[in-house]
Amino acid sequence: MNNQDNYAVFEKQELCIQDEAPFCNDGCPLGVDVRSMIRHISADKLEAAYSEYSKRVIFAQILSRICTAPCQTGCLRKELGDPIQIRMLEQACAEYGAKIPSKGFIRPKDGVVHIVGGSLGGLTSANVLARKGFTVHLYEKTERLGGHLWEYGGKQLEREVIEKDIAQNLNFEQIHIHLENCVTFSEDFGEGVIFQACGGEISFPDEGRVFRIRDYLEKGSSPAHEIAAGKQAATHIEQAIKGEPLGEPTFKAPTRLVVPNPEVEQDLEAILPENGRSYTRDEAVKEAGRCIQCQCMACTKSCLLLKTNKGYPKTYINHAKQSLRTINLIHRKMAARRTNACNLCGLCGEICPNGLDMGEVYMKSRRIMHANGQLPEAFHEFWLRDMDFSTSKEVTLCRTQPGYDTAAYLFFPGCQMGGSQPEYVSDTYRHLRDSLEGGVALCLDCCGAPSEWAGYPERTQPIVQGFQDRWEKLGRPKVILACPSCEKMFREYHRDIPTVSLWTVLDEKPPLQKLTDKRKKVAVFDPCSSRNNPDEQQSIRRMLTAMGYQVEELPMHGRYAQCCGYGGLIYASNPELAEDIRSDRIGDSTLPFVTYCVNCREVFASGGKQVWHILDLLFGGEERAGQKPPDWSTRRANRIKLKKSLLQELWREEMGRNPEPFEAIKLMIPESLGDRMQQELILADDIKQVVYHAEKTEEKLEYENGHFLSHLKVGHNTYWVEYQPCEDGFLVHNTYTHRMSIKEERDG
């Protein structure tokens, strides 16, 4: 995939429907932002509500009393009780929030318009065109403007309201009103554009510049539709005067908005006005408070990253595109931090009504930033070094089962299982050899997920190809995968290789440990990478039930599984977010967790959660629930230990290995410092290299208390260590790291 293919992902912003109009807005012919207006009313800000309403509505006092309220037809509240009484809320904000409009100075423009008909459509066009500076002649056959407005009863629409609203909105020098003037088919106005804003058929000498309101009425002739038609006709009339191409009459496309699982109190009845006619201010505020403010935001509600940044996918995609183009260093750093703070878990895409996966957007953004040299290598330095170690000759192993030349199956536990608990791999492999026929090969290796998550596809491809070659040599066996992240990588990069989940295999051929006491309650934590494997998820639950456990589901599970905080390598770029995600997940249940991802188990255990990996229970290790996970250095040592023990036990071979000189260094690290090293991703081997280099070259500073300080660049990071010789090793007092190169000048 080239870099241009990565940019194509930004086109998916159109899938986001957050900007789509709510159903009330969508039903309004005038496009009033009903949701915003009601929000202002609920906050007792009726002046702001009227300002929002009058942006779109000319003759607001009139329309707010006679509108047929098509907006209420789509109100989602009607499915959860009574619909919001939007028309009466409009009247309330017109009564309590209106201000007398200021006419201001309008510069006259060349152009004359003749409007035939003094109903709402004609009055609206007169107002709009006069505000543009055009001269308007308005012809009405009766003795007063307003047309059918006078047919309403006085209680619904008072005479004074009609007269006052018309007078205020037609108070322009450019408008010339001609009452009791019945325009006939033979009328010749001379210069100017004609707009027939009344019904019936009138023929004019020059039909080529005649506009008719009927062409702009989308549905029926309600008051709101008439005003909308008058506004749109005025736009086309202005184009005709200027000699511009005329646009076609436009009608709104239906909204695409979806409101998933609205959180709302059910069956609330509408607030009705005590006087039977209109709301008091307090009544309007209470009724507006029933509005659920329809919007999607489904992904934001379920993702701490999106929620924390207070935006939604379309805004993030626009920010990402802008950030990739900017040359401002600070903006680039902010973009890199945001882009690398996504777990890549895919939950947003599962929840989104249109399947917009922000994980895909962020991952491809990382690839673009890496290809353009905009991605700080320090973000992923630790994980890529760990991947290099996991794919090195020191720990990789790919063998057929003793006594077999080829294999029917290949067990691929993934790189983290052996690092966390080597016995997981050896016990499982033993059980698979005993349970399956045709030979079971073993491959200790990494699937390449770290470089995939980091946005370094050029480092993923050699790993993918290397496994493909080994699989061919083993006889193309079916691969048994123990890691959900590996499963996801295999679906992406090894589609021709048959795979099966370890948990499906163990469900069919289990090494079950039966409980003897009463049924314990546990909560299954589904890893986010397992969301597309329901068979695997059900296998876990069946095995737990068979062992005597009672499973209670977490709020988000199965298809909607959430990330533990490990995914996407976000810890280095945003450790605070990673900690918050872990805390949120732990807070989902007070029950002990059972998971089938090593990383999930270690993340929760490091947060003090009682948690088991399913293999703990299958092989009788229930006491491990509260154990602290091994640190990063121990995990590396465990992988070496695993390879060595398997070679000796199964293939009767000794592991030949030439250790690095610095490995002989013995360190004493206080527990508190060890905890900080774990948080800051510092390995014991990193410290050993610094101390070894300092002792060998004497490049170190000595303090008065006998401590030494030295530094060394390892990879892209520089490590500093404060230490002192102690017995047959070195006591470490402090250490820290940063991405910096130190240039030193020496005499001679």
Side-chain angles (χ1 to χ4, degrees), residues 31 35 37 77 100 115 140 163 295 334 400 408 422 619 682:
R35 179 175 60 190
M37 180 194 74
R77 233 330 175 169
I100 297 176
I115 299 177
E140 168 57 40
E163 292 175 341
Q295 55 181 334
M334 292 174 61
T400 58
F619 293 107
I682 299 176

Side-chain angles (χ1 to χ4, degrees), residues 51 126 172 197 278 350 465 491 510-511 528 563 597 646 706:
S51 177
F172 298 97
S278 60
E350 204 65 47
Q465 188 59 53
R491 286 194 298 269
C528 57
C563 185
C597 170
L646 287 172

Side-chain angles (χ1 to χ4, degrees), residues 468-538:
Q468 189 84 21
D469 294 342
R470 290 191 289 274
W471 175 72
E472 295 279 356
K473 293 178 181 178
L474 291 170
R476 302 167 67 90
K478 176 177 280 191
V479 179
I480 301 173
L481 297 168
C483 172
S485 294
C486 292
E487 291 175 14
K488 193 173 180 179
M489 287 292 292
F490 270 69
R491 286 194 298 269
E492 177 70 21
Y493 288 101
H494 298 294
R495 298 179 184 178
D496 60 326
I497 295 180
T499 63
V500 63
S501 168
L502 171 64
W503 318 118
T504 303
V505 174
L506 295 184
D507 183 25
E508 296 174 355
K509 299 179 181 294
L512 295 180
Q513 301 292 323
K514 297 290 184 180
L515 293 181
T516 56
D517 59 356
K518 63 181 180 180
R519 292 169 62 85
K520 290 185 179 179
K521 290 183 179 181
V522 295
V524 174
F525 185 87
D526 292 310
C528 57
S529 298
S530 76
R531 75 173 73 259
N532 294 316
N533 197 335
D535 291 341
E536 173 181 77
Q537 295 170 343
Q538 291 306 311

Side-chain angles (χ1 to χ4, degrees), residues 22-315:
F23 310 112
C24 51
N25 294 26
D26 186 56
C28 177
L30 292 162
V32 172
D33 190 345
V34 181
R35 179 175 60 190
S36 178
M37 180 194 74
I38 294 178
R39 183 170 63 249
H40 287 310
I41 297 175
S42 67
D44 199 11
K45 297 179 180 178
L46 274 75
E47 296 78 7
Y50 179 76
S51 177
E52 192 67 61
Y53 180 59
S54 60
K55 283 179 186 176
R56 294 282 185 169
V57 177
I58 303 170
F59 307 104
Q61 297 292 340
I62 292 173
L63 185 64
S64 66
R65 288 164 169 81
I66 64 172
C67 184
T68 57
C71 51
Q72 286 184 207
T73 303
C75 179
L76 189 61
R77 233 330 175 169
K78 70 181 181 182
E79 300 175 10
L80 308 166
D82 291 333
I84 303 299
Q85 303 302 296
I86 301 173
R87 205 278 305 159
M88 286 200 292
L89 290 178
E90 292 172 346
Q91 182 177 347
C93 71
E95 288 184 350
Y96 303 113
K99 296 180 181 178
I100 297 176
S102 58
K103 182 174 62 174
F105 173 74
I106 298 174
R107 186 180 301 278
K109 293 179 182 176
D110 293 335
V112 178
V113 183
H114 301 278
I115 299 177
V116 181
S119 289
L120 275 177
L123 298 177
T124 297
S125 290
N127 175 284
V128 173
L129 293 165
R131 288 178 182 274
K132 299 280 187 177
F134 299 113
T135 299
V136 177
H137 291 274
L138 180 58
Y139 303 88
E140 168 57 40
K141 66 180 180 180
T142 69
E143 75 282 0
R144 58 188 179 184
L145 298 174
H148 60 271
L149 294 178
W150 299 100
E151 299 172 5
Y152 288 90
K155 289 185 177 181
Q156 183 177 6
L157 182 59
E158 299 91 340
R159 175 190 183 100
E160 295 77 12
V161 172
I162 300 174
E163 292 175 341
K164 184 177 180 180
D165 211 13
I166 291 177
Q168 288 182 345
N169 283 285
L170 296 186
N171 186 24
F172 298 97
E173 295 178 1
Q174 289 86 349
I175 298 178
H176 305 277
I177 299 173
H178 308 274
L179 297 176
E180 297 184 279
N181 192 315
C182 185
V183 176
T184 66
F185 69 93
S186 61
E187 194 81 34
D188 185 356
F189 295 114
E191 179 189 3
V193 178
I194 300 171
F195 175 38
Q196 183 187 338
C198 60
E201 290 292 334
I202 303 177
S203 298
F204 298 92
D206 181 9
E207 288 287 335
R209 296 183 109 188
V210 178
F211 295 85
R212 289 182 168 84
I213 194 168
R214 67 186 181 210
D215 296 329
Y216 298 93
L217 287 172
E218 179 182 3
K219 299 174 183 176
S221 57
S222 75
H225 284 102
E226 284 190 60
I227 293 176
K231 291 174 72 174
Q232 191 170 166
T235 299
H236 286 178
I237 290 169
E238 180 182 6
Q239 292 171 342
I241 293 173
K242 294 179 177 179
E244 298 173 352
L246 298 184
E248 293 293 326
T250 58
F251 305 112
K252 294 190 304 181
T255 182
R256 298 182 299 148
L257 183 66
V258 176
V259 183
N261 303 318
E263 298 174 1
V264 60
E265 189 175 352
Q266 302 281 330
D267 301 326
L268 279 184
E269 295 182 351
I271 305 295
L272 299 179
E274 189 173 342
N275 64 16
R277 294 174 54 193
S278 60
Y279 284 137
T280 64
R281 187 169 185 134
D282 287 344
E283 287 172 339
V285 171
K286 290 178 181 178
E287 174 63 11
R290 296 176 57 243
C291 177
I292 63 177
Q293 292 289 302
C294 293
Q295 55 181 334
C296 181
M297 298 298 276
C299 56
T300 302
K301 293 176 183 177
S302 302
C303 173
L304 200 55
L305 171 62
L306 300 179
K307 188 184 301 182
T308 301
N309 289 331
K310 299 179 180 179
Y312 53 94
K314 186 174 287 187
T315 60

